[in-house]
Amino acid sequence: MLHARILYYLRIFFISTLMIWTPLCLFFGAVYKRSNYVYRLHLDLVDLDHGPVGRNLTKHILENGRSSAQTAPRWRVRTDLHTLEETRTWIRLNGWGAVVINSGASQRLSEIGDAYDPRSAVTVVANTGRNPIIGLTYTQPALSAAARSATLAFNAAVVKQQQMESGIPDGPVAVYFRTIDAAPMAFNIAPIQPLFAFLVGTLCTIAALIAWKMTTFGFFLRVRHRHVWAALLALVMFWTLLISMHCALAVSFFRGPHYNRNALPYTVGRFFSIWTTTWAVLLAVGLWLLSWYLVIAPEFLGLLSLITVLSNVVGTLVPVQMTSRYYRWFYALPFYNGAMLYRFILSGCYPRLGLNIGVLLGEIAAMAMALGLSAWARQACVQRGLSDVSGWYRGNMFFHSPVPLQQDADDAARTLSIADSINDSTSLKEGNLGV
């Protein structure tokens, strides 16, 4: 007995080690050499000026971009965008950001006067709504650095020309830039808001799922499989609906309808959109976890929960576009698709509604069918005496089930039947008819 316990505790130690290192390897593998893949991001360069200012700034930005092609986002010149508003709409729906040399910049510079504003020459169009982590870490710094470097180089050239022509030691700033956000998220915790909502909701759901696993033993003994499946599905749906409602209320209480005039107002429709999105994410994750919880031993609950939660967290927090090809499966995770829907609802950027909603609905349908199979397996093991109340299986030192093993029960019933037959035959010989 002591030898068996020592071996079992060694197995628990090995599982606990996996619980620590498996999620850590998943996270650090996703962020390893992340900057090596920054060239996959594309920033747009739009020249609406078509004059000396536009040509010089465009040339400077492209030359600097070629010199740092592997360590910075790549630049592409767009000739199909003709106004600043059109560029802003394109960036909100499809792009990461753009540097726009505004129309008439050369003419305004040639007619410089007291009312001249250097910032009217260049506009940096950022997009914080598509992926705030990428925006804060890579695209916005790259946009600002490119605009600042190009304008300063142009100003230095203008000052040098003035010195040569008139001998004036310095002059006014010729051109500079201003920054606008095509899809602002509107509050400070925007990068982690959907992630935090999904994470808290999932942790609350995990506690309920483990409680249901430990308290439904009698339910599997007395109720038919289809009713067990329907009841478990209804429980998960109701619980996740309740938790997601609290998440949507938290967003509305924190943000308010007019938190930032540049952002989309938080209307009743957006409240229900946030509620539905959170519900779909928690429902997909909850069905996935319960499908496994019903059939695995309690010693593996922590490992499964950590891998599920951390993979979803990494898929939302780490820019998937800047990871190795192995981590592209993050695109299919509920947290990632829910976060993309969250950002579209709050900022209106990068609409991929069909893809994100389709992935979530497909996962919910698949996990609902998986839950039916898991409920059938759990019920079969319980009724045959192979699994106990807590989910331990026969052969484990902690196994204790009030249901006898089916083979033992059949042998006992067969022995009892033989004994009854012998008693009946003896009673007939004695003439007392078994009395």
Side-chain angles (χ1 to χ4, degrees):
M1 186 64 180
L2 180 61
H3 179 68
R5 284 185 176 273
I6 292 175
L7 290 179
Y8 179 77
Y9 291 144
L10 288 176
R11 186 174 70 171
I12 291 294
F13 176 78
F14 177 72
I15 294 173
S16 301
T17 304
L18 286 180
M19 289 176 59
I20 296 173
W21 285 106
T22 303
L24 286 179
C25 292
L26 184 67
F27 176 77
F28 288 117
V31 301
Y32 179 67
K33 292 186 178 181
R34 183 174 58 182
S35 59
N36 288 3
Y37 302 104
V38 70
Y39 65 88
R40 295 175 180 171
L41 306 178
H42 289 85
L43 301 178
D44 297 319
L45 181 57
V46 183
D47 182 11
L48 303 178
D49 177 55
H50 304 295
V53 174
R55 287 193 297 269
N56 282 277
L57 296 180
T58 300
K59 179 181 178 182
H60 182 87
I61 292 175
L62 292 179
E63 288 178 351
N64 285 353
R66 282 192 291 268
S67 64
S68 58
Q70 298 299 322
T71 59
R74 294 184 176 180
W75 290 92
R76 57 188 178 188
V77 178
R78 301 295 302 272
T79 58
D80 56 333
L81 302 175
H82 306 292
T83 63
L84 178 60
E85 189 60 33
E86 187 178 348
T87 303
R88 182 172 181 172
T89 302
W90 161 262
I91 295 301
R92 179 177 63 85
L93 298 179
N94 302 285
W96 291 103
V99 172
V100 181
I101 297 96
N102 293 323
S103 177
S106 298
Q107 182 180 358
R108 287 191 297 271
L109 182 61
S110 62
E111 301 173 355
I112 189 170
D114 295 337
Y116 176 74
D117 183 8
R119 296 183 303 169
S120 64
V122 180
T123 300
V124 172
V125 183
N127 185 356
T128 60
R130 179 170 176 180
N131 191 311
I133 301 299
I134 291 182
L136 294 174
T137 309
Y138 297 102
T139 58
Q140 289 186 49
L143 290 168
S144 299
R148 184 179 297 107
S149 174
T151 54
L152 291 179
F154 184 83
N155 292 335
V158 170
V159 169
K160 184 177 180 179
Q161 183 178 3
Q162 289 177 349
Q163 290 176 351
M164 294 176 61
E165 293 178 354
S166 59
I168 301 175
D170 55 5
V173 175
V175 294
Y176 204 59
F177 68 94
R178 63 187 180 95
T179 301
I180 61 174
D181 196 343
M185 289 288 284
F187 46 98
N188 295 332
I189 64 168
I192 63 170
Q193 188 222 355
L195 170 62
F196 188 74
F198 300 153
L199 177 60
V200 173
T202 300
L203 294 179
C204 295
T205 303
I206 286 176
L209 297 181
I210 294 177
W212 296 343
K213 172 185 173 64
M214 302 296 181
T215 57
T216 53
F217 183 81
F219 194 60
F220 285 103
L221 286 175
R222 298 179 178 86
V223 183
R224 292 183 177 181
H225 167 255
R226 62 176 179 269
H227 297 153
V228 172
W229 181 23
L232 291 176
L233 188 60
L235 279 174
V236 178
M237 293 179 65
F238 174 76
W239 180 261
T240 53
L241 181 65
L242 180 64
I243 297 297
S244 59
M245 181 190 68
H246 288 287
C247 292
L249 289 174
V251 174
S252 64
F253 291 154
F254 176 79
R255 176 173 173 172
H258 304 291
Y259 189 88
N260 189 318
R261 62 182 177 85
N262 296 321
L264 298 177
Y266 194 65
T267 61
V268 175
R270 290 193 174 89
F271 167 79
F272 283 103
S273 299
I274 290 292
W275 186 359
T276 306
T277 300
T278 311
W279 182 32
V281 172
L282 298 183
L283 181 59
V285 176
L287 291 174
W288 160 265
L289 288 174
L290 186 58
S291 300
W292 283 103
Y293 284 176
L294 291 178
V295 296
I296 64 175
E299 58 190 346
F300 296 105
L301 294 179
L303 179 61
L304 174 67
S305 302
L306 272 178
I307 293 177
T308 300
V309 171
L310 194 60
S311 61
N312 278 276
V313 169
V314 173
T316 307
L317 191 61
V318 175
V320 186
Q321 297 84 353
M322 300 172 59
T323 58
S324 61
R325 295 187 181 275
Y326 170 77
Y327 292 96
R328 298 302 175 87
W329 57 273
F330 282 169
Y331 282 121
L333 295 177
F335 276 28
Y336 174 82
N337 290 278
M340 296 304 296
L341 290 174
Y342 238 85
R343 293 163 186 162
F344 170 74
I345 294 168
L346 293 180
S347 67
C349 79
Y350 203 66
R352 299 296 184 270
L353 302 181
L355 176 62
N356 300 137
I357 295 175
V359 169
L360 287 176
L361 292 180
E363 289 174 341
I364 291 173
M367 292 306 105
M369 291 186 288
L371 179 62
L373 295 176
S374 299
W376 173 82
R378 170 71 170 162
Q379 188 171 39
C381 291
V382 167
Q383 292 180 351
R384 287 169 172 77
L386 299 175
S387 180
D388 65 358
V389 177
S390 300
W392 297 109
Y393 287 92
R394 185 172 293 274
N396 188 282
M397 65 176 61
F398 300 115
F399 175 83
H400 179 73
S401 175
V403 181
L405 187 63
Q406 187 175 19
Q407 183 178 359
D408 296 341
D410 294 342
D411 293 342
R414 190 180 300 107
T415 302
L416 182 61
S417 176
I418 294 174
D420 290 341
S421 300
I422 294 174
N423 291 336
D424 290 343
S425 60
T426 303
S427 300
L428 287 173
K429 290 180 181 181
E430 295 176 353
N432 56 8
L433 297 179
V435 180

